[in-house]
PDB file of all heavy atoms in Angstrom:
ATOM      1  N   GLU N  78     188.593 228.419  92.520  1.00 98.00           N
ATOM      2  CA  GLU N  78     189.390 227.379  93.172  1.00 98.00           C
ATOM      3  C   GLU N  78     190.261 227.928  94.296  1.00 98.00           C
ATOM      4  O   GLU N  78     190.769 229.042  94.236  1.00 98.00           O
ATOM      5  CB  GLU N  78     190.271 226.671  92.120  1.00 98.00           C
ATOM      6  CG  GLU N  78     190.945 225.437  92.702  1.00 98.00           C
ATOM      7  CD  GLU N  78     191.678 224.586  91.678  1.00 98.00           C
ATOM      8  OE1 GLU N  78     191.601 224.884  90.474  1.00 98.00           O
ATOM      9  OE2 GLU N  78     192.326 223.613  92.115  1.00 98.00           O
ATOM     10  N   PHE N  79     190.428 227.093  95.348  1.00 98.00           N
ATOM     11  CA  PHE N  79     191.349 227.418  96.445  1.00 98.00           C
ATOM     12  C   PHE N  79     192.647 226.617  96.281  1.00 98.00           C
ATOM     13  O   PHE N  79     192.618 225.461  95.860  1.00 98.00           O
ATOM     14  CB  PHE N  79     190.780 226.983  97.809  1.00 98.00           C
ATOM     15  CG  PHE N  79     189.441 227.573  98.184  1.00 98.00           C
ATOM     16  CD1 PHE N  79     188.516 226.792  98.884  1.00 98.00           C
ATOM     17  CD2 PHE N  79     189.114 228.891  97.900  1.00 98.00           C
ATOM     18  CE1 PHE N  79     187.287 227.313  99.264  1.00 98.00           C
ATOM     19  CE2 PHE N  79     187.888 229.414  98.286  1.00 98.00           C
ATOM     20  CZ  PHE N  79     186.968 228.623  98.972  1.00 98.00           C
ATOM     21  N   ASP N  80     193.717 227.191  96.714  1.00 97.00           N
ATOM     22  CA  ASP N  80     194.994 226.467  96.902  1.00 97.00           C
ATOM     23  C   ASP N  80     195.383 225.565  95.732  1.00 97.00           C
ATOM     24  O   ASP N  80     195.893 224.464  95.932  1.00 97.00           O
ATOM     25  CB  ASP N  80     194.922 225.609  98.171  1.00 97.00           C
ATOM     26  CG  ASP N  80     194.510 226.423  99.378  1.00 97.00           C
ATOM     27  OD1 ASP N  80     195.190 227.415  99.660  1.00 97.00           O
ATOM     28  OD2 ASP N  80     193.500 226.065 100.028  1.00 97.00           O
ATOM     29  N   THR N 113     189.501 221.982  95.448  1.00 98.00           N
ATOM     30  CA  THR N 113     188.566 222.601  96.389  1.00 98.00           C
ATOM     31  C   THR N 113     188.262 224.019  95.929  1.00 98.00           C
ATOM     32  O   THR N 113     189.056 224.613  95.200  1.00 98.00           O
ATOM     33  CB  THR N 113     189.159 222.666  97.815  1.00 98.00           C
ATOM     34  OG1 THR N 113     190.418 223.346  97.747  1.00 98.00           O
ATOM     35  CG2 THR N 113     189.379 221.281  98.392  1.00 98.00           C
ATOM     36  N   GLY N 114     187.145 224.527  96.383  1.00 98.00           N
ATOM     37  CA  GLY N 114     186.814 225.904  96.024  1.00 98.00           C
ATOM     38  C   GLY N 114     185.415 226.282  96.451  1.00 98.00           C
ATOM     39  O   GLY N 114     184.750 225.538  97.159  1.00 98.00           O
ATOM     40  N   ARG N 115     185.010 227.477  96.010  1.00 98.00           N
ATOM     41  CA  ARG N 115     183.642 227.902  96.296  1.00 98.00           C
ATOM     42  C   ARG N 115     182.892 228.080  94.993  1.00 98.00           C
ATOM     43  O   ARG N 115     183.502 228.234  93.932  1.00 98.00           O
ATOM     44  CB  ARG N 115     183.612 229.171  97.143  1.00 98.00           C
ATOM     45  CG  ARG N 115     184.003 230.447  96.445  1.00 98.00           C
ATOM     46  CD  ARG N 115     183.577 231.676  97.244  1.00 98.00           C
ATOM     47  NE  ARG N 115     184.416 231.925  98.416  1.00 98.00           N
ATOM     48  CZ  ARG N 115     185.652 232.447  98.355  1.00 98.00           C
ATOM     49  NH1 ARG N 115     186.222 232.731  97.208  1.00 98.00           N
ATOM     50  NH2 ARG N 115     186.337 232.675  99.458  1.00 98.00           N
ATOM     51  N   ILE N 124     180.775 225.537  99.593  1.00 98.00           N
ATOM     52  CA  ILE N 124     182.196 225.217  99.504  1.00 98.00           C
ATOM     53  C   ILE N 124     182.243 223.755  99.080  1.00 98.00           C
ATOM     54  O   ILE N 124     181.486 222.927  99.611  1.00 98.00           O
ATOM     55  CB  ILE N 124     182.899 225.415 100.866  1.00 98.00           C
ATOM     56  CG1 ILE N 124     182.725 226.847 101.384  1.00 98.00           C
ATOM     57  CG2 ILE N 124     184.372 225.022 100.758  1.00 98.00           C
ATOM     58  CD1 ILE N 124     183.375 227.944 100.564  1.00 98.00           C
ATOM     59  N   LYS N 144     194.196 220.761 101.994  1.00 98.00           N
ATOM     60  CA  LYS N 144     193.251 221.485 101.132  1.00 98.00           C
ATOM     61  C   LYS N 144     191.821 221.340 101.656  1.00 98.00           C
ATOM     62  O   LYS N 144     191.050 222.291 101.669  1.00 98.00           O
ATOM     63  CB  LYS N 144     193.349 220.984  99.682  1.00 98.00           C
ATOM     64  CG  LYS N 144     194.576 221.509  98.953  1.00 98.00           C
ATOM     65  CD  LYS N 144     194.681 220.951  97.539  1.00 98.00           C
ATOM     66  CE  LYS N 144     193.925 221.785  96.530  1.00 98.00           C
ATOM     67  NZ  LYS N 144     194.270 221.378  95.133  1.00 98.00           N
ATOM     68  N   MET N 145     191.494 220.149 102.101  1.00 98.00           N
ATOM     69  CA  MET N 145     190.144 219.946 102.640  1.00 98.00           C
ATOM     70  C   MET N 145     189.924 220.788 103.890  1.00 98.00           C
ATOM     71  O   MET N 145     188.876 221.399 104.062  1.00 98.00           O
ATOM     72  CB  MET N 145     189.947 218.470 102.986  1.00 98.00           C
ATOM     73  CG  MET N 145     189.508 217.652 101.796  1.00 98.00           C
ATOM     74  SD  MET N 145     188.981 216.049 102.365  1.00 98.00           S
ATOM     75  CE  MET N 145     187.568 216.485 103.378  1.00 98.00           C
ATOM     76  N   CYS N 146     190.916 220.778 104.792  1.00 98.00           N
ATOM     77  CA  CYS N 146     190.752 221.522 106.042  1.00 98.00           C
ATOM     78  C   CYS N 146     190.628 223.020 105.780  1.00 98.00           C
ATOM     79  O   CYS N 146     189.847 223.708 106.416  1.00 98.00           O
ATOM     80  CB  CYS N 146     191.902 221.236 106.993  1.00 98.00           C
ATOM     81  SG  CYS N 146     191.786 219.570 107.659  1.00 98.00           S
ATOM     82  N   ARG N 147     191.403 223.504 104.804  1.00 98.00           N
ATOM     83  CA  ARG N 147     191.294 224.928 104.464  1.00 98.00           C
ATOM     84  C   ARG N 147     189.919 225.231 103.865  1.00 98.00           C
ATOM     85  O   ARG N 147     189.334 226.278 104.149  1.00 98.00           O
ATOM     86  CB  ARG N 147     192.381 225.326 103.465  1.00 98.00           C
ATOM     87  CG  ARG N 147     193.760 225.342 104.104  1.00 98.00           C
ATOM     88  CD  ARG N 147     194.774 225.869 103.121  1.00 98.00           C
ATOM     89  NE  ARG N 147     196.120 225.767 103.659  1.00 98.00           N
ATOM     90  CZ  ARG N 147     197.170 226.385 103.114  1.00 98.00           C
ATOM     91  NH1 ARG N 147     197.026 227.115 102.040  1.00 98.00           N
ATOM     92  NH2 ARG N 147     198.361 226.249 103.659  1.00 98.00           N
ATOM     93  N   ALA N 148     189.432 224.308 103.041  1.00 98.00           N
ATOM     94  CA  ALA N 148     188.107 224.502 102.446  1.00 98.00           C
ATOM     95  C   ALA N 148     187.040 224.523 103.548  1.00 98.00           C
ATOM     96  O   ALA N 148     186.141 225.370 103.538  1.00 98.00           O
ATOM     97  CB  ALA N 148     187.820 223.396 101.436  1.00 98.00           C
ATOM     98  N   ILE N 149     187.165 223.605 104.511  1.00 98.00           N
ATOM     99  CA  ILE N 149     186.197 223.556 105.608  1.00 98.00           C
ATOM    100  C   ILE N 149     186.266 224.852 106.417  1.00 98.00           C
ATOM    101  O   ILE N 149     185.245 225.401 106.840  1.00 98.00           O
ATOM    102  CB  ILE N 149     186.444 222.310 106.490  1.00 98.00           C
ATOM    103  CG1 ILE N 149     186.158 221.029 105.681  1.00 98.00           C
ATOM    104  CG2 ILE N 149     185.590 222.352 107.760  1.00 98.00           C
ATOM    105  CD1 ILE N 149     186.685 219.744 106.300  1.00 98.00           C
ATOM    106  N   GLN N 150     187.475 225.367 106.587  1.00 98.00           N
ATOM    107  CA  GLN N 150     187.643 226.633 107.303  1.00 98.00           C
ATOM    108  C   GLN N 150     186.931 227.766 106.552  1.00 98.00           C
ATOM    109  O   GLN N 150     186.277 228.604 107.173  1.00 98.00           O
ATOM    110  CB  GLN N 150     189.145 226.917 107.467  1.00 98.00           C
ATOM    111  CG  GLN N 150     189.482 228.071 108.391  1.00 98.00           C
ATOM    112  CD  GLN N 150     188.904 227.909 109.797  1.00 98.00           C
ATOM    113  OE1 GLN N 150     188.758 226.794 110.298  1.00 98.00           O
ATOM    114  NE2 GLN N 150     188.544 229.026 110.415  1.00 98.00           N
ATOM    115  N   HIS N 151     187.033 227.762 105.228  1.00 98.00           N
ATOM    116  CA  HIS N 151     186.285 228.742 104.422  1.00 98.00           C
ATOM    117  C   HIS N 151     184.785 228.601 104.685  1.00 98.00           C
ATOM    118  O   HIS N 151     184.075 229.591 104.843  1.00 98.00           O
ATOM    119  CB  HIS N 151     186.528 228.514 102.921  1.00 98.00           C
ATOM    120  CG  HIS N 151     187.786 229.138 102.410  1.00 98.00           C
ATOM    121  ND1 HIS N 151     187.946 230.497 102.284  1.00 98.00           N
ATOM    122  CD2 HIS N 151     188.953 228.598 101.998  1.00 98.00           C
ATOM    123  CE1 HIS N 151     189.153 230.766 101.807  1.00 98.00           C
ATOM    124  NE2 HIS N 151     189.796 229.621 101.626  1.00 98.00           N
ATOM    125  N   ALA N 152     184.323 227.353 104.716  1.00 98.00           N
ATOM    126  CA  ALA N 152     182.899 227.113 104.956  1.00 98.00           C
ATOM    127  C   ALA N 152     182.478 227.704 106.299  1.00 98.00           C
ATOM    128  O   ALA N 152     181.425 228.338 106.410  1.00 98.00           O
ATOM    129  CB  ALA N 152     182.605 225.616 104.891  1.00 98.00           C
ATOM    130  N   VAL N 153     183.321 227.504 107.317  1.00 98.00           N
ATOM    131  CA  VAL N 153     182.999 228.022 108.647  1.00 98.00           C
ATOM    132  C   VAL N 153     182.973 229.547 108.621  1.00 98.00           C
ATOM    133  O   VAL N 153     182.025 230.174 109.111  1.00 98.00           O
ATOM    134  CB  VAL N 153     184.016 227.487 109.698  1.00 98.00           C
ATOM    135  CG1 VAL N 153     183.820 228.181 111.049  1.00 98.00           C
ATOM    136  CG2 VAL N 153     183.895 225.971 109.850  1.00 98.00           C
ATOM    137  N   GLU N 154     183.992 230.132 108.011  1.00 98.00           N
ATOM    138  CA  GLU N 154     184.080 231.601 107.993  1.00 98.00           C
ATOM    139  C   GLU N 154     182.964 232.229 107.164  1.00 98.00           C
ATOM    140  O   GLU N 154     182.422 233.254 107.537  1.00 98.00           O
ATOM    141  CB  GLU N 154     185.444 232.042 107.439  1.00 98.00           C
ATOM    142  CG  GLU N 154     186.536 231.947 108.500  1.00 98.00           C
ATOM    143  CD  GLU N 154     187.943 231.968 107.913  1.00 98.00           C
ATOM    144  OE1 GLU N 154     188.092 232.342 106.723  1.00 98.00           O
ATOM    145  OE2 GLU N 154     188.883 231.604 108.646  1.00 98.00           O
ATOM    146  N   GLU N 155     182.636 231.587 106.044  1.00 97.00           N
ATOM    147  CA  GLU N 155     181.625 232.167 105.157  1.00 97.00           C
ATOM    148  C   GLU N 155     180.222 231.628 105.465  1.00 97.00           C
ATOM    149  O   GLU N 155     179.267 231.961 104.771  1.00 97.00           O
ATOM    150  CB  GLU N 155     181.998 231.872 103.692  1.00 97.00           C
ATOM    151  CG  GLU N 155     183.340 232.478 103.308  1.00 97.00           C
ATOM    152  CD  GLU N 155     183.836 232.027 101.930  1.00 97.00           C
ATOM    153  OE1 GLU N 155     182.999 231.686 101.064  1.00 97.00           O
ATOM    154  OE2 GLU N 155     185.066 232.004 101.724  1.00 97.00           O
ATOM    155  N   GLU N 156     180.148 230.793 106.498  1.00 97.00           N
ATOM    156  CA  GLU N 156     178.872 230.178 106.904  1.00 97.00           C
ATOM    157  C   GLU N 156     178.159 229.522 105.735  1.00 97.00           C
ATOM    158  O   GLU N 156     176.983 229.769 105.462  1.00 97.00           O
ATOM    159  CB  GLU N 156     177.981 231.215 107.585  1.00 97.00           C
ATOM    160  CG  GLU N 156     178.559 231.713 108.899  1.00 97.00           C
ATOM    161  CD  GLU N 156     177.651 232.737 109.566  1.00 97.00           C
ATOM    162  OE1 GLU N 156     176.429 232.496 109.585  1.00 97.00           O
ATOM    163  OE2 GLU N 156     178.168 233.740 110.070  1.00 97.00           O
ATOM    164  N   LYS N 157     178.897 228.690 105.036  1.00 97.00           N
ATOM    165  CA  LYS N 157     178.340 227.988 103.888  1.00 97.00           C
ATOM    166  C   LYS N 157     178.375 226.484 104.117  1.00 97.00           C
ATOM    167  O   LYS N 157     179.209 225.994 104.867  1.00 97.00           O
ATOM    168  CB  LYS N 157     179.159 228.316 102.637  1.00 97.00           C
ATOM    169  CG  LYS N 157     178.869 229.671 102.065  1.00 97.00           C
ATOM    170  CD  LYS N 157     179.718 229.910 100.841  1.00 97.00           C
ATOM    171  CE  LYS N 157     179.453 231.304 100.278  1.00 97.00           C
ATOM    172  NZ  LYS N 157     180.579 231.781  99.491  1.00 97.00           N
ATOM    173  N   PRO N 158     177.503 225.769 103.425  1.00 98.00           N
ATOM    174  CA  PRO N 158     177.559 224.309 103.521  1.00 98.00           C
ATOM    175  C   PRO N 158     178.802 223.779 102.812  1.00 98.00           C
ATOM    176  O   PRO N 158     179.322 224.435 101.905  1.00 98.00           O
ATOM    177  CB  PRO N 158     176.305 223.832 102.801  1.00 98.00           C
ATOM    178  CG  PRO N 158     175.600 225.026 102.307  1.00 98.00           C
ATOM    179  CD  PRO N 158     176.427 226.226 102.544  1.00 98.00           C
ATOM    180  N   LEU N 190     183.052 222.449 111.754  1.00 98.00           N
ATOM    181  CA  LEU N 190     181.911 222.734 110.873  1.00 98.00           C
ATOM    182  C   LEU N 190     180.612 222.341 111.582  1.00 98.00           C
ATOM    183  O   LEU N 190     179.625 223.067 111.572  1.00 98.00           O
ATOM    184  CB  LEU N 190     182.073 221.935 109.575  1.00 98.00           C
ATOM    185  CG  LEU N 190     181.103 222.229 108.444  1.00 98.00           C
ATOM    186  CD1 LEU N 190     181.538 223.497 107.702  1.00 98.00           C
ATOM    187  CD2 LEU N 190     181.033 221.071 107.466  1.00 98.00           C
ATOM    188  N   LEU N 195     176.816 223.979 110.627  1.00 97.00           N
ATOM    189  CA  LEU N 195     176.775 224.027 109.168  1.00 97.00           C
ATOM    190  C   LEU N 195     176.631 222.636 108.567  1.00 97.00           C
ATOM    191  O   LEU N 195     177.069 221.638 109.138  1.00 97.00           O
ATOM    192  CB  LEU N 195     178.046 224.702 108.653  1.00 97.00           C
ATOM    193  CG  LEU N 195     178.155 226.189 109.053  1.00 97.00           C
ATOM    194  CD1 LEU N 195     179.574 226.685 108.876  1.00 97.00           C
ATOM    195  CD2 LEU N 195     177.174 227.040 108.257  1.00 97.00           C
TER     196      LEU N 195
END
Side-chain angles (χ1 to χ4, degrees):
Chain N
E78 189 172 355
F79 302 144
D80 307 304
T113 55
R115 73 164 75 76
I124 303 295
K144 284 178 88 169
M145 275 192 64
C146 288
R147 289 186 186 193
I149 294 165
Q150 190 57 31
H151 277 290
V153 172
E154 280 163 15
E155 299 171 27
E156 295 180 44
K157 283 180 182 156
L190 188 80
L195 294 164

